[in-house]
Amino acid sequence: MALITIEYGSLASSETMNKNFQYLDDKISETTGSFTTSISSVSSNIATLNTNLSDLSDKLDETKNDIEETINGTNSCVITALMLPDWSACISISKPKSYIAPSNGYVLINPVANSSGNLVINGVTVYFKYRGHEDDNAAILVPYPVKKGDDVTLTSSAIATYFLPVVEKIVIEGEEEEEDA
């Protein structure tokens, strides 16, 4: 049914008026129902979006934690691999006859000028000082990197031998150092 047109100046019957009112009432009800359905759909979509955002937020937090753990692990590996010397902990050692490195670090050897000999680390022999001529009297402090547990033996005469450990933990400026529990 559609609205019934009432011409200007004419008298409309109550039946015609009631039909027009009924038509308008039906249209208002339809429109209200349509709006209610649309609002319900929008509300459902908002609830779904909120759930998805919450899930994404949780996943982001997990990913952030995973990244932080990876960074911390990488920092630990980098610090271990850097082998930055800790000069404040350098110690003098007697001629290393089966000296066992207590930690990662360096064995520093200053050979006797006119000596010759080898350095043996974990059973692997490397030339340390070769004296090919009687005028070959070089003597310079030589560093050899070692890791914890390496067995170091020197077959050459040395003026001095040292063990120089590496820094175990680096505190980056602005970060607080964690205390061991």
Side-chain angles (χ1 to χ4, degrees):
M1 172 180 150
L3 279 176
I4 300 170
T5 304
I6 301 171
E7 292 194 25
Y8 181 73
S10 65
L11 291 177
S13 68
S14 58
E15 179 184 359
T16 302
M17 294 295 291
N18 285 336
K19 285 183 181 180
N20 278 347
F21 288 136
Q22 185 61 42
Y23 174 78
L24 291 173
D25 188 46
D26 290 346
K27 283 298 180 186
I28 290 171
S29 294
E30 280 178 34
T31 304
T32 302
S34 176
F35 280 143
T36 302
T37 301
S38 294
I39 289 171
S40 294
S41 177
V42 168
S43 294
S44 174
N45 288 341
I46 289 172
T48 301
L49 285 172
N50 283 338
T51 300
N52 290 343
L53 285 174
S54 177
D55 291 346
L56 283 173
S57 178
D58 292 344
K59 287 180 183 177
L60 282 174
D61 285 342
E62 289 173 17
T63 302
K64 176 186 166 255
N65 291 339
D66 290 346
I67 289 171
E68 285 176 350
E69 287 176 18
T70 301
I71 288 172
N72 290 337
T74 302
N75 284 344
S76 177
C77 289
V78 168
I79 289 168
T80 301
L82 284 178
M83 291 206 32
L84 296 172
D86 185 359
W87 286 101
S88 65
C90 186
I91 59 170
S92 179
I93 56 176
S94 61
K95 182 177 173 185
K97 294 282 186 196
S98 292
Y99 179 76
I100 305 296
S103 64
N104 292 346
Y106 300 90
V107 172
L108 307 173
I109 306 167
N110 190 358
V112 171
N114 62 357
S115 68
S116 65
N118 298 321
L119 183 67
V120 181
I121 300 177
N122 295 333
V124 177
T125 303
V126 293
Y127 286 115
F128 167 67
K129 184 156 185 327
Y130 175 75
R131 189 166 188 242
H133 188 274
E134 65 182 43
D135 293 331
D136 183 1
N137 293 318
I140 182 172
L141 186 66
V142 182
Y144 285 91
V146 292
K147 69 178 186 304
K148 182 178 182 175
D150 280 352
D151 184 353
V152 181
T153 303
L154 179 65
T155 65
S156 172
S157 298
I159 297 169
T161 308
Y162 305 94
F163 178 72
L164 175 61
V166 296
V167 174
E168 299 269 337
K169 182 174 183 176
I170 297 174
V171 177
I172 298 170
E173 193 173 313
E175 289 186 1
E176 291 184 24
E177 187 172 349
E178 295 177 12
E179 303 222 0
D180 294 331

